[in-house]
Amino acid sequence: MQKKVIPNILSIAGVDPSGGAGIFADLKAMSALGGYACGVVAALTAQNTQGVTGVQGVSAAFVKQQLDTLFADVRIDAVKIGMLSDVSVIETVAQALKTYRPPFVVLDPVMVAKSGDRLLPEDCVEALKSELLPLATVITPNLPEAAVLSGLPEADSAEALVPMAQKLSTLVAPDGWVLLKGGHLNDSEAPDLLTNGTEQHIFTAPRILTKNTHGTGCTLSSAIATLLPQTESVPQAVRQAKDYISQAIAHADELEVGHGHGPVHHFYRL
């Protein structure tokens, strides 16, 4: 009987001290889904469940040192990229991906916190589009992020997801996928559209009435990155990740963390 290989999954992201979003949330999701979680810190925030009070960058040189040191020793089976708040850091991460060529790259283009605070400076958007989107296996924008990246008006219906996702699919790698998240729509369900420009898959789940949804995007993208080496296709990984985040949200009210938008329950299975 062949020994199961536990995949090593890397998060390159920012730190949220409350643990609900960013690299701490990523590590929880990766661990919950059977991966061994590694992390490279690309930004620091002063943040809780109610808002962001400060953002401190990490130098591109030290991000590079973290990446080079990690890849020199550890086999990385998939990479999840979250908050990168500096153009030079974006370029550094892109160069590392080209150098070390991890099998899977999931990009969550973090731009706005759940509280509405802007996390990504304007000058980073073009760098994100030119440097990182073409290297991504899957990108996971929500509707406001997709509008910024595509230049199209924000979708206001499930039907409007299609042209926006098609536009975004031209920005990723030739074999890349776009998971356009429809959580901002005012529907009874939360539809997500997955496309590679030719295939389309719709994933739906009942909308769960809870204010505790801090870090859902971080958690979903990390789940996809962790499941890609463990499944046979991108649609299969996304389906399983969608099921996981839905249950993590459904169990979120079991936690008591902060007074604002609390975190999802990454370890609900335990």
Side-chain angles (χ1 to χ4, degrees):
M1 181 170 156
Q2 188 174 7
K3 178 183 176 182
K4 178 183 177 182
V5 176
I6 295 174
N8 300 324
I9 315 299
L10 169 61
S11 167
I12 308 171
V15 170
D16 166 14
S18 75
I23 203 164
F24 294 154
D26 297 347
L27 303 188
K28 293 172 189 175
M30 292 168 180
S31 301
L33 290 168
Y36 179 81
C38 305
V40 165
V41 176
L44 305 170
T45 73
Q47 181 177 176
N48 57 27
T49 65
Q50 300 181 78
V52 180
T53 61
V55 177
Q56 178 69 52
V58 175
S59 72
F62 192 64
V63 170
K64 182 180 188 302
Q65 186 174 359
Q66 291 180 76
L67 289 165
D68 289 342
T69 303
L70 179 65
F71 275 100
D73 180 51
V74 179
R75 182 199 76 247
I76 297 298
D77 299 300
V79 174
K80 174 265 168 83
I81 302 171
M83 179 184 174
L84 306 177
S85 60
D86 183 85
V87 171
S88 61
V89 171
I90 292 172
E91 293 171 346
T92 295
V93 171
Q95 185 56 54
L97 296 178
K98 294 173 185 175
T99 299
Y100 299 110
R101 299 185 178 276
F104 301 104
V105 176
V106 179
L107 173 63
D108 182 19
V110 179
M111 297 179 182
V112 183
K114 186 69 65 178
S115 58
D117 294 290
R118 182 81 184 223
L119 297 175
L120 190 70
E122 295 288 346
D123 63 347
C124 288
V125 175
E126 287 306 316
L128 201 68
K129 289 170 66 174
S130 63
E131 298 289 337
L132 285 179
L133 263 64
L135 303 176
T137 310
V138 184
I139 65 171
T140 62
N142 60 29
L143 296 184
E145 292 160 350
V148 173
L149 291 172
S150 68
L152 298 175
E154 186 174 327
D156 57 4
S157 67
E159 294 75 21
L161 296 178
V162 177
M164 180 169 277
Q166 290 286 356
K167 176 69 178 293
L168 290 172
S169 70
T170 66
L171 303 178
V172 299
D175 57 349
W177 295 75
V178 175
L179 179 65
L180 182 53
K181 301 177 295 188
H184 284 75
L185 297 176
N186 293 319
D187 291 348
S188 59
E189 293 190 327
D192 296 338
L193 173 62
L194 176 70
T195 184
N196 62 357
T198 53
E199 287 183 48
Q200 286 189 5
H201 303 265
I202 300 290
F203 302 100
T204 60
R207 189 174 295 276
I208 299 163
L209 297 178
T210 176
K211 69 173 184 175
N212 296 322
T213 55
H214 183 50
T216 50
C218 302
T219 299
L220 176 62
S221 54
S222 297
I224 294 169
T226 307
L227 290 164
L228 281 169
Q230 303 182 77
T231 51
E232 296 180 357
S233 69
V234 171
Q236 185 181 7
V238 171
R239 162 47 66 196
Q240 292 185 23
K242 175 81 170 176
D243 292 343
Y244 168 74
I245 187 61
S246 295
Q247 287 300 310
I249 295 171
H251 289 269
D253 291 352
E254 296 171 12
L255 302 174
E256 295 181 13
V257 182
H259 298 87
H261 292 286
V264 303
H265 194 340
H266 298 90
F267 294 110
Y268 68 87
R269 292 171 176 168
L270 300 178

